[in-house]
Amino acid sequence: MLFMAIFCSIAIYANSQSPLTLQQCIDYALAHSIELRDYDAQVREAEADVRLERNKFLPTIGAQVTNGLSTGFQQVLTKEMAGKYERVSSYSNSAVLSLSVPIWSADAQRASVQLMRQNEQIVSTQKAEKVLEIKTNVVQRFYSAVLAKNRVQVAEQQLIQQDSVLRVTKRMYTFGLRAQKDVLDAELNYEQDRYSLLQEQSGYEIAMLELQKVMMFDDELQISDEVDLRTDFVVPFLPDAYKVPCQSHPYVQQFQMQIETSQIQQKIIRRQYYPSLSFGYESGTSGIQFLSQKNTSLSEQWKNNSYFGALLTLKVPIYSRGDVRAQLEKVKISEEHAMLMSQQAKRAIYDDLSVMLTDIRHSENLQWQAIEAEVAANRQYAKA
C-alpha cells in the first residue's frame, strides 16, 4: 500500500510537471474558473425562478385548524339577579379549508413565465461570453509565451555563436590575422547579445506569469512549444472570431436578449390595464365548550356549524395615478439603451479582433526576423 501511494504521488507530480498543450491550458482554465462556477449557480437560480413563476398557474389550497382556551368575567342574567358577573372559561376550535384558482389575467402570468425564461437565457449567454473570454485570453497568453520562449532559444543560440566568434577572433588576433578593433567589435556584439538574452528571458517569465494568472494555475507551469504558429493558433481562433456572425457572439446576444426582455416587460405592464378573474372556495366549521357548564358535544356542534362558500372575484383597474404609463416609459428607455449597447458591442468585438490579429501578425514577423538573424549569425560564424 505504501509503495502504491508513493507511486501514485510520483505519477501525479510527473503529470503535473509535463508540458501542457494549448487545449489542456484552456480546459484547465475553464475547470478552475470561479466566475464560471458562479454563473452555474446563477443559472440554477434562474431555473428555480422559472419553476416558481410557472407554479402560479396552479391552484392554492390551504387548511387551518385553530384551538383556543379563554377565561374571563362575563355578565350572567338570572331570575334572581340581573347583571351578575361570573368567571367563565371556554375552549373553542375551528377548521377551515380554502381553495383559490386564477382563471384569467390577460396572459400576464404567461408573460411573466416568458420573462423568467428570458432571464435564464441571459445568464446562460453571459456564461457563454465568459467562456469565450477565457478561451481568448488563454490563446493570447499561450501564444505570447510560446513566441517568447522561441525568442529566448534564438537569443541563446546567437549568444553561443557570438561567443564562438569572439574566441576565434581573439585567437586570430594572437596570430596577427585580426586587428584589435575586430576583437573589440566582437566583445561589444557579445555583450549586446547577452543583454538581449536577459531581456528575452525576462519577457518569457512575464508571459508565463500572465498565462498562469489567466489559468489560475498555482504550480510551476510548463507549456509545449511543439506547435505550428499559424495552424495551432490562428485557424482555431478564427471560428470564434471572424467566422462566427456578429449576431451570434455571446456579448451581442446578451444585449439582444435584454431588448427582448424589455419587450416582454412592456407586455406585462400593459396587462395591468385589463381586468383579472379568480375563483375562491372556503369550507369550515367551529365549536365551543364552556367549562363547568352543560354543553352540546363538539361533534354535534361541528356538524351544525359547518359552512361553505364560493367566491368569483373580478378585479377591474380604473385609476392607477399614471403608474402604468410611467413604468412603460421606463422600460422603453431601457430597451433603447440595450439597442445602443448592442451596437457598441459589435464595434468593440471588431476593434478587439483587429488589434488581436494585428498583434499576432506582428509577433510572427518578429519570430521570422529572429530566425533570419540566427541564419545570418551562422553564416558569419562559418565565414569567420
Side-chain angles (χ1 to χ4, degrees):
M1 294 295 294
L2 180 60
F3 172 78
M4 289 297 297
I6 296 175
F7 176 80
C8 291
S9 63
I10 294 175
I12 294 175
Y13 177 79
N15 186 39
S16 65
Q17 293 299 314
S18 60
L20 299 181
T21 63
L22 173 60
Q23 188 59 49
Q24 289 174 331
C25 290
I26 292 176
D27 294 339
Y28 186 94
L30 294 177
H32 292 78
S33 174
I34 298 177
E35 292 176 299
L36 290 183
R37 281 182 284 176
D38 179 63
Y39 277 118
D40 290 335
Q42 293 183 36
V43 169
R44 293 194 300 270
E45 182 181 2
E47 293 173 351
D49 290 336
V50 172
R51 292 192 299 269
L52 180 63
E53 203 67 29
R54 191 170 53 232
N55 290 340
K56 292 182 180 180
F57 285 106
L58 302 177
T60 301
I61 302 175
Q64 180 178 352
V65 177
T66 304
N67 292 276
L69 181 64
S70 62
T71 182
F73 290 92
Q74 182 177 354
Q75 188 177 20
V76 179
L77 300 179
T78 62
K79 294 181 180 181
E80 294 80 8
M81 182 181 297
K84 180 182 178 181
Y85 286 89
E86 293 182 354
R87 180 180 294 276
V88 178
S89 299
S90 65
Y91 166 75
S92 62
N93 57 16
S94 63
V96 178
L97 179 66
S98 61
L99 170 68
S100 177
V101 182
I103 297 178
W104 186 77
S105 61
D107 287 338
Q109 190 57 43
R110 295 183 184 276
S112 297
V113 174
Q114 186 180 1
L115 179 62
M116 293 298 102
R117 288 175 176 168
Q118 192 73 14
N119 292 337
E120 178 186 356
Q121 293 179 2
I122 289 177
V123 176
S124 299
T125 303
Q126 290 174 345
K127 178 185 177 182
E129 178 190 351
K130 178 56 65 174
V131 169
L132 182 58
E133 178 183 343
I134 292 175
K135 288 182 178 180
T136 303
N137 290 335
V138 172
V139 168
Q140 286 181 303
R141 303 303 189 277
F142 192 95
Y143 186 82
S144 299
V146 170
L147 290 178
K149 186 177 182 179
N150 291 339
R151 286 195 294 266
V152 169
Q153 294 173 352
V154 171
E156 290 175 346
Q157 292 296 325
Q158 288 179 344
L159 183 63
I160 293 174
Q161 293 164 3
Q162 189 59 41
D163 179 67
S164 300
V165 170
L166 177 60
R167 286 188 283 106
V168 170
T169 303
K170 288 181 177 180
R171 187 178 306 171
M172 297 180 69
Y173 172 73
T174 304
F175 293 102
L177 300 177
R178 286 287 188 271
Q180 185 177 7
K181 181 179 181 300
D182 296 331
V183 176
L184 295 176
D185 291 340
E187 290 178 346
L188 177 60
N189 293 334
Y190 176 81
E191 293 299 330
Q192 289 177 344
D193 289 342
R194 191 173 70 168
Y195 177 74
S196 298
L197 175 60
L198 293 176
Q199 282 186 317
E200 299 297 345
Q201 289 175 341
S202 176
Y204 173 65
E205 291 179 1
I206 294 175
M208 290 299 295
L209 289 175
E210 291 291 336
L211 179 59
Q212 286 183 255
K213 179 181 177 180
V214 173
M215 294 174 55
M216 300 186 68
F217 197 87
D218 297 330
D219 299 330
E220 183 179 356
L221 179 62
Q222 296 182 10
I223 59 175
S224 174
D225 55 356
E226 297 179 359
V227 292
D228 186 337
L229 298 180
R230 297 186 180 275
T231 59
D232 289 346
F233 287 100
V234 180
V235 175
F237 183 68
L238 283 177
D240 290 337
Y242 283 113
K243 292 185 179 181
V244 175
C246 198
Q247 294 291 342
S248 301
H249 196 285
Y251 188 44
V252 178
Q253 280 187 340
Q254 174 183 348
F255 295 107
Q256 294 293 340
M257 289 183 179
Q258 288 182 7
I259 296 174
E260 296 175 4
T261 299
S262 299
Q263 296 172 352
I264 297 174
Q265 288 177 338
Q266 294 178 40
K267 181 180 179 181
I268 295 175
I269 294 173
R270 288 192 181 96
R271 291 301 181 269
Q272 297 181 29
Y273 289 120
Y274 295 86
S276 62
L277 184 65
S278 62
F279 171 78
Y281 174 83
E282 184 174 297
S283 175
T285 185
S286 62
I288 185 170
Q289 292 282 326
F290 292 96
L291 303 183
S292 69
Q293 293 185 17
K294 187 177 180 180
N295 298 280
T296 306
S297 64
L298 283 176
S299 59
E300 188 70 19
Q301 292 186 48
W302 276 43
K303 181 180 179 182
N304 297 331
N305 296 336
S306 62
Y307 70 95
F308 69 91
L311 187 65
L312 194 63
T313 304
L314 177 65
K315 295 179 62 177
V316 180
I318 297 178
Y319 177 68
S320 61
R321 300 173 301 179
D323 293 345
V324 177
R325 187 185 301 273
Q327 292 176 14
L328 281 174
E329 292 178 356
K330 182 178 179 181
V331 174
K332 288 180 180 179
I333 294 174
S334 299
E335 180 182 1
E336 183 180 357
H337 174 72
M339 290 180 179
L340 295 175
M341 293 302 296
S342 176
Q343 297 177 3
Q344 183 178 354
K346 295 175 184 179
R347 182 64 192 183
I349 292 173
Y350 175 80
D351 293 340
D352 291 344
L353 292 178
S354 300
V355 172
M356 183 185 304
L357 295 181
T358 301
D359 182 65
I360 289 176
R361 287 192 293 266
H362 177 68
S363 300
E364 287 180 343
N365 292 334
L366 293 178
Q367 175 70 12
W368 299 123
Q369 288 178 2
I371 294 175
E372 292 176 358
E374 180 182 2
V375 173
N378 289 333
R379 291 176 180 173
Q380 181 181 3
Y381 175 71
K383 185 178 180 179

